[in-house]
Short mmCIF file of all heavy atoms in Angstrom, two decimals:
data_model
loop_
_atom_site.label_atom_id
_atom_site.label_comp_id
_atom_site.label_asym_id
_atom_site.label_seq_id
_atom_site.Cartn_x
_atom_site.Cartn_y
_atom_site.Cartn_z
N GLN A 1 -56.41 -45.92 -9.25
CA GLN A 1 -55.46 -47.05 -9.30
C GLN A 1 -55.98 -48.17 -10.18
O GLN A 1 -55.25 -48.72 -11.00
CB GLN A 1 -55.16 -47.57 -7.88
CG GLN A 1 -54.35 -46.63 -7.04
CD GLN A 1 -52.96 -46.38 -7.60
OE1 GLN A 1 -52.37 -47.21 -8.29
NE2 GLN A 1 -52.44 -45.19 -7.33
N LYS A 2 -57.26 -48.50 -10.04
CA LYS A 2 -57.85 -49.57 -10.86
C LYS A 2 -57.93 -49.16 -12.33
O LYS A 2 -57.66 -49.96 -13.22
CB LYS A 2 -59.23 -49.95 -10.33
CG LYS A 2 -59.16 -50.69 -9.02
CD LYS A 2 -60.51 -51.13 -8.55
CE LYS A 2 -60.34 -51.87 -7.23
NZ LYS A 2 -61.46 -52.69 -6.89
N THR A 3 -58.30 -47.91 -12.57
CA THR A 3 -58.39 -47.42 -13.95
C THR A 3 -57.02 -47.42 -14.61
O THR A 3 -56.88 -47.83 -15.76
CB THR A 3 -59.01 -46.01 -13.98
OG1 THR A 3 -60.29 -46.06 -13.36
CG2 THR A 3 -59.14 -45.49 -15.39
N TRP A 4 -56.00 -46.96 -13.88
CA TRP A 4 -54.65 -46.92 -14.45
C TRP A 4 -54.16 -48.33 -14.77
O TRP A 4 -53.53 -48.57 -15.80
CB TRP A 4 -53.67 -46.22 -13.51
CG TRP A 4 -52.35 -46.03 -14.17
CD1 TRP A 4 -51.19 -46.72 -13.93
CD2 TRP A 4 -52.06 -45.11 -15.23
NE1 TRP A 4 -50.20 -46.28 -14.77
CE2 TRP A 4 -50.70 -45.29 -15.57
CE3 TRP A 4 -52.80 -44.16 -15.92
CZ2 TRP A 4 -50.08 -44.56 -16.57
CZ3 TRP A 4 -52.17 -43.42 -16.91
CH2 TRP A 4 -50.84 -43.63 -17.23
N LYS A 5 -54.47 -49.27 -13.90
CA LYS A 5 -54.07 -50.66 -14.13
C LYS A 5 -54.75 -51.20 -15.39
O LYS A 5 -54.14 -51.93 -16.17
CB LYS A 5 -54.39 -51.52 -12.92
CG LYS A 5 -53.76 -52.89 -12.99
CD LYS A 5 -53.81 -53.59 -11.66
CE LYS A 5 -53.01 -54.87 -11.79
NZ LYS A 5 -52.47 -55.31 -10.55
N LEU A 6 -56.01 -50.84 -15.62
CA LEU A 6 -56.71 -51.26 -16.84
C LEU A 6 -56.12 -50.61 -18.09
O LEU A 6 -56.00 -51.25 -19.13
CB LEU A 6 -58.20 -50.91 -16.75
CG LEU A 6 -59.05 -51.78 -15.85
CD1 LEU A 6 -60.45 -51.17 -15.71
CD2 LEU A 6 -59.15 -53.19 -16.42
N ILE A 7 -55.76 -49.34 -17.99
CA ILE A 7 -55.25 -48.60 -19.14
C ILE A 7 -53.84 -49.05 -19.51
O ILE A 7 -53.55 -49.33 -20.67
CB ILE A 7 -55.26 -47.08 -18.88
CG1 ILE A 7 -56.68 -46.56 -18.77
CG2 ILE A 7 -54.51 -46.32 -19.97
CD1 ILE A 7 -56.77 -45.12 -18.31
N ARG A 8 -52.95 -49.09 -18.52
CA ARG A 8 -51.53 -49.32 -18.80
C ARG A 8 -50.99 -50.66 -18.30
O ARG A 8 -49.82 -50.96 -18.50
CB ARG A 8 -50.70 -48.20 -18.18
CG ARG A 8 -51.01 -46.82 -18.72
CD ARG A 8 -50.59 -46.65 -20.12
NE ARG A 8 -49.14 -46.77 -20.15
CZ ARG A 8 -48.39 -46.59 -21.20
NH1 ARG A 8 -48.94 -46.30 -22.34
NH2 ARG A 8 -47.09 -46.72 -21.14
N HIS A 9 -51.80 -51.43 -17.60
CA HIS A 9 -51.36 -52.73 -17.05
C HIS A 9 -50.15 -52.57 -16.13
O HIS A 9 -49.25 -53.40 -16.12
CB HIS A 9 -51.07 -53.73 -18.17
CG HIS A 9 -52.22 -53.88 -19.12
ND1 HIS A 9 -53.40 -54.48 -18.77
CD2 HIS A 9 -52.37 -53.47 -20.41
CE1 HIS A 9 -54.23 -54.45 -19.80
NE2 HIS A 9 -53.63 -53.83 -20.80
N GLU A 10 -50.15 -51.47 -15.38
CA GLU A 10 -49.10 -51.18 -14.40
C GLU A 10 -49.75 -50.92 -13.06
O GLU A 10 -50.85 -50.38 -13.00
CB GLU A 10 -48.30 -49.94 -14.80
CG GLU A 10 -47.58 -50.05 -16.12
CD GLU A 10 -46.93 -48.72 -16.52
OE1 GLU A 10 -47.18 -47.69 -15.86
OE2 GLU A 10 -46.19 -48.72 -17.50
N ASP A 11 -49.04 -51.26 -11.98
CA ASP A 11 -49.59 -51.00 -10.65
C ASP A 11 -49.46 -49.54 -10.24
O ASP A 11 -50.30 -49.03 -9.50
CB ASP A 11 -48.90 -51.89 -9.61
CG ASP A 11 -49.31 -53.35 -9.74
OD1 ASP A 11 -50.45 -53.60 -10.19
OD2 ASP A 11 -48.50 -54.22 -9.41
N ASP A 12 -48.41 -48.88 -10.67
CA ASP A 12 -48.17 -47.50 -10.26
C ASP A 12 -48.29 -46.54 -11.43
O ASP A 12 -47.73 -46.77 -12.51
CB ASP A 12 -46.77 -47.36 -9.64
CG ASP A 12 -46.63 -48.14 -8.35
OD1 ASP A 12 -47.62 -48.19 -7.59
OD2 ASP A 12 -45.54 -48.70 -8.11
N ALA A 13 -48.98 -45.43 -11.19
CA ALA A 13 -49.09 -44.37 -12.19
C ALA A 13 -47.78 -43.58 -12.18
O ALA A 13 -47.09 -43.53 -11.16
CB ALA A 13 -50.26 -43.47 -11.86
N PRO A 14 -47.46 -42.94 -13.29
CA PRO A 14 -46.21 -42.17 -13.32
C PRO A 14 -46.30 -40.92 -12.47
O PRO A 14 -47.35 -40.30 -12.34
CB PRO A 14 -46.05 -41.81 -14.80
CG PRO A 14 -47.42 -41.84 -15.35
CD PRO A 14 -48.14 -42.91 -14.57
N ASP A 15 -45.19 -40.57 -11.89
CA ASP A 15 -45.06 -39.34 -11.13
C ASP A 15 -44.51 -38.27 -12.08
O ASP A 15 -43.73 -38.59 -12.99
CB ASP A 15 -44.10 -39.57 -9.96
CG ASP A 15 -43.95 -38.34 -9.10
OD1 ASP A 15 -44.93 -37.96 -8.45
OD2 ASP A 15 -42.85 -37.75 -9.10
N ALA A 16 -44.89 -37.04 -11.89
CA ALA A 16 -44.44 -35.96 -12.78
C ALA A 16 -42.91 -35.82 -12.77
O ALA A 16 -42.33 -35.36 -13.75
CB ALA A 16 -45.08 -34.65 -12.37
N LEU A 17 -42.25 -36.23 -11.70
CA LEU A 17 -40.80 -36.08 -11.60
C LEU A 17 -40.05 -37.37 -11.95
O LEU A 17 -38.83 -37.44 -11.77
CB LEU A 17 -40.42 -35.62 -10.20
CG LEU A 17 -41.01 -34.26 -9.79
CD1 LEU A 17 -40.63 -33.92 -8.36
CD2 LEU A 17 -40.57 -33.17 -10.74
N ASP A 18 -40.75 -38.37 -12.45
CA ASP A 18 -40.11 -39.63 -12.83
C ASP A 18 -39.36 -39.43 -14.14
O ASP A 18 -39.96 -39.20 -15.19
CB ASP A 18 -41.18 -40.71 -12.99
CG ASP A 18 -40.60 -42.09 -13.18
OD1 ASP A 18 -39.39 -42.20 -13.50
OD2 ASP A 18 -41.34 -43.07 -13.02
N PRO A 19 -38.01 -39.54 -14.12
CA PRO A 19 -37.23 -39.27 -15.33
C PRO A 19 -37.40 -40.35 -16.41
O PRO A 19 -37.09 -40.11 -17.58
CB PRO A 19 -35.78 -39.24 -14.83
CG PRO A 19 -35.79 -40.04 -13.58
CD PRO A 19 -37.15 -39.86 -12.98
N ASP A 20 -37.94 -41.51 -16.07
CA ASP A 20 -38.10 -42.60 -17.03
C ASP A 20 -39.43 -42.55 -17.77
O ASP A 20 -39.70 -43.41 -18.60
CB ASP A 20 -37.96 -43.95 -16.31
CG ASP A 20 -36.59 -44.11 -15.67
OD1 ASP A 20 -35.60 -43.56 -16.22
OD2 ASP A 20 -36.51 -44.77 -14.62
N ARG A 21 -40.28 -41.60 -17.45
CA ARG A 21 -41.59 -41.49 -18.09
C ARG A 21 -41.63 -40.28 -19.00
O ARG A 21 -41.06 -39.24 -18.70
CB ARG A 21 -42.71 -41.36 -17.05
CG ARG A 21 -42.72 -42.41 -15.97
CD ARG A 21 -43.15 -43.78 -16.52
NE ARG A 21 -43.27 -44.74 -15.44
CZ ARG A 21 -44.40 -45.34 -15.11
NH1 ARG A 21 -45.50 -45.11 -15.77
NH2 ARG A 21 -44.42 -46.18 -14.11
N GLY A 22 -42.34 -40.41 -20.10
CA GLY A 22 -42.46 -39.31 -21.05
C GLY A 22 -43.63 -38.39 -20.72
O GLY A 22 -44.49 -38.69 -19.89
N TRP A 23 -43.65 -37.25 -21.42
CA TRP A 23 -44.70 -36.26 -21.21
C TRP A 23 -46.09 -36.85 -21.45
O TRP A 23 -47.02 -36.59 -20.68
CB TRP A 23 -44.50 -35.07 -22.16
CG TRP A 23 -43.54 -34.06 -21.63
CD1 TRP A 23 -42.24 -33.92 -21.99
CD2 TRP A 23 -43.80 -33.06 -20.66
NE1 TRP A 23 -41.67 -32.89 -21.31
CE2 TRP A 23 -42.61 -32.33 -20.47
CE3 TRP A 23 -44.92 -32.70 -19.93
CZ2 TRP A 23 -42.51 -31.27 -19.59
CZ3 TRP A 23 -44.83 -31.64 -19.05
CH2 TRP A 23 -43.63 -30.94 -18.89
N GLY A 24 -46.25 -37.59 -22.52
CA GLY A 24 -47.56 -38.13 -22.86
C GLY A 24 -48.13 -39.01 -21.76
O GLY A 24 -49.30 -38.90 -21.39
N GLU A 25 -47.29 -39.88 -21.21
CA GLU A 25 -47.74 -40.79 -20.15
C GLU A 25 -48.08 -40.03 -18.88
O GLU A 25 -49.09 -40.30 -18.22
CB GLU A 25 -46.62 -41.80 -19.88
CG GLU A 25 -47.04 -42.97 -19.06
CD GLU A 25 -45.94 -44.01 -18.94
OE1 GLU A 25 -44.77 -43.73 -19.28
OE2 GLU A 25 -46.28 -45.11 -18.49
N ILE A 26 -47.27 -39.03 -18.54
CA ILE A 26 -47.51 -38.24 -17.33
C ILE A 26 -48.79 -37.42 -17.48
O ILE A 26 -49.62 -37.35 -16.56
CB ILE A 26 -46.29 -37.34 -17.03
CG1 ILE A 26 -45.13 -38.22 -16.55
CG2 ILE A 26 -46.63 -36.28 -16.01
CD1 ILE A 26 -43.81 -37.52 -16.46
N LEU A 27 -48.97 -36.80 -18.65
CA LEU A 27 -50.18 -35.99 -18.86
C LEU A 27 -51.44 -36.85 -18.93
O LEU A 27 -52.50 -36.44 -18.45
CB LEU A 27 -50.03 -35.12 -20.10
CG LEU A 27 -48.96 -34.03 -20.00
CD1 LEU A 27 -48.84 -33.27 -21.31
CD2 LEU A 27 -49.26 -33.09 -18.85
N LEU A 28 -51.33 -38.04 -19.51
CA LEU A 28 -52.47 -38.95 -19.53
C LEU A 28 -52.88 -39.33 -18.11
O LEU A 28 -54.07 -39.28 -17.76
CB LEU A 28 -52.15 -40.21 -20.34
CG LEU A 28 -53.22 -41.31 -20.31
CD1 LEU A 28 -54.51 -40.81 -20.96
CD2 LEU A 28 -52.71 -42.57 -20.99
N ALA A 29 -51.90 -39.68 -17.30
CA ALA A 29 -52.19 -40.05 -15.91
C ALA A 29 -52.83 -38.89 -15.16
O ALA A 29 -53.81 -39.06 -14.42
CB ALA A 29 -50.92 -40.50 -15.20
N ALA A 30 -52.30 -37.68 -15.36
CA ALA A 30 -52.84 -36.51 -14.67
C ALA A 30 -54.27 -36.21 -15.12
O ALA A 30 -55.13 -35.88 -14.30
CB ALA A 30 -51.95 -35.29 -14.93
N ALA A 31 -54.54 -36.34 -16.41
CA ALA A 31 -55.88 -36.08 -16.93
C ALA A 31 -56.89 -37.10 -16.41
O ALA A 31 -58.00 -36.73 -15.99
CB ALA A 31 -55.87 -36.08 -18.46
N VAL A 32 -56.51 -38.36 -16.42
CA VAL A 32 -57.42 -39.41 -15.92
C VAL A 32 -57.67 -39.21 -14.43
O VAL A 32 -58.82 -39.27 -13.97
CB VAL A 32 -56.84 -40.82 -16.21
CG1 VAL A 32 -57.61 -41.89 -15.48
CG2 VAL A 32 -56.81 -41.09 -17.70
N GLN A 33 -56.60 -38.95 -13.69
CA GLN A 33 -56.75 -38.75 -12.25
C GLN A 33 -57.62 -37.53 -11.95
O GLN A 33 -58.52 -37.59 -11.11
CB GLN A 33 -55.39 -38.59 -11.59
CG GLN A 33 -55.45 -38.51 -10.08
CD GLN A 33 -54.08 -38.43 -9.45
OE1 GLN A 33 -53.15 -37.87 -10.03
NE2 GLN A 33 -53.94 -38.99 -8.27
N GLY A 34 -57.40 -36.44 -12.65
CA GLY A 34 -58.19 -35.22 -12.43
C GLY A 34 -59.66 -35.43 -12.76
O GLY A 34 -60.54 -34.99 -12.01
N ALA A 35 -59.93 -36.11 -13.86
CA ALA A 35 -61.32 -36.37 -14.25
C ALA A 35 -62.02 -37.25 -13.22
O ALA A 35 -63.17 -36.98 -12.84
CB ALA A 35 -61.37 -37.02 -15.63
N LEU A 36 -61.34 -38.29 -12.76
CA LEU A 36 -61.95 -39.18 -11.76
C LEU A 36 -62.20 -38.46 -10.44
O LEU A 36 -63.26 -38.60 -9.84
CB LEU A 36 -61.08 -40.41 -11.53
CG LEU A 36 -61.18 -41.48 -12.60
CD1 LEU A 36 -60.11 -42.54 -12.42
CD2 LEU A 36 -62.55 -42.12 -12.58
N PHE A 37 -61.23 -37.67 -9.98
CA PHE A 37 -61.41 -36.95 -8.72
C PHE A 37 -62.55 -35.94 -8.83
O PHE A 37 -63.36 -35.80 -7.90
CB PHE A 37 -60.11 -36.26 -8.29
CG PHE A 37 -59.25 -37.13 -7.43
CD1 PHE A 37 -58.43 -38.08 -7.99
CD2 PHE A 37 -59.26 -37.01 -6.05
CE1 PHE A 37 -57.64 -38.91 -7.21
CE2 PHE A 37 -58.47 -37.83 -5.26
CZ PHE A 37 -57.66 -38.78 -5.83
N ALA A 38 -62.65 -35.24 -9.95
CA ALA A 38 -63.73 -34.26 -10.14
C ALA A 38 -65.09 -34.95 -10.17
O ALA A 38 -66.06 -34.47 -9.57
CB ALA A 38 -63.50 -33.46 -11.41
N ALA A 39 -65.16 -36.07 -10.87
CA ALA A 39 -66.44 -36.79 -10.95
C ALA A 39 -66.85 -37.33 -9.59
O ALA A 39 -68.01 -37.19 -9.18
CB ALA A 39 -66.33 -37.92 -11.97
#
C-alpha cells in the first residue's frame, strides 16, 4: 500500500477487474505486489 502510494500517488491499487484501469497499470500493480510479497 505504501509503495503503491509512492509510485502512483493513489490510495488504492487497481483491481484486475476494474474497467477504468488499463493493462499496464494492472500488470505493474501485480508485479510490484508479487515482488514485495515474495521478498
Side-chain angles (χ1 to χ4, degrees):
Q1 290 297 331
K2 289 183 180 199
T3 302
W4 187 254
K5 191 166 187 153
L6 285 171
I7 293 171
R8 299 291 296 185
H9 307 290
E10 299 174 351
D11 289 331
D12 295 324
D15 182 67
L17 299 178
D18 189 343
D20 299 328
R21 307 289 185 117
W23 276 101
E25 193 174 13
I26 289 170
L27 293 177
L28 174 64
V32 170
Q33 186 177 32
L36 282 170
F37 271 81

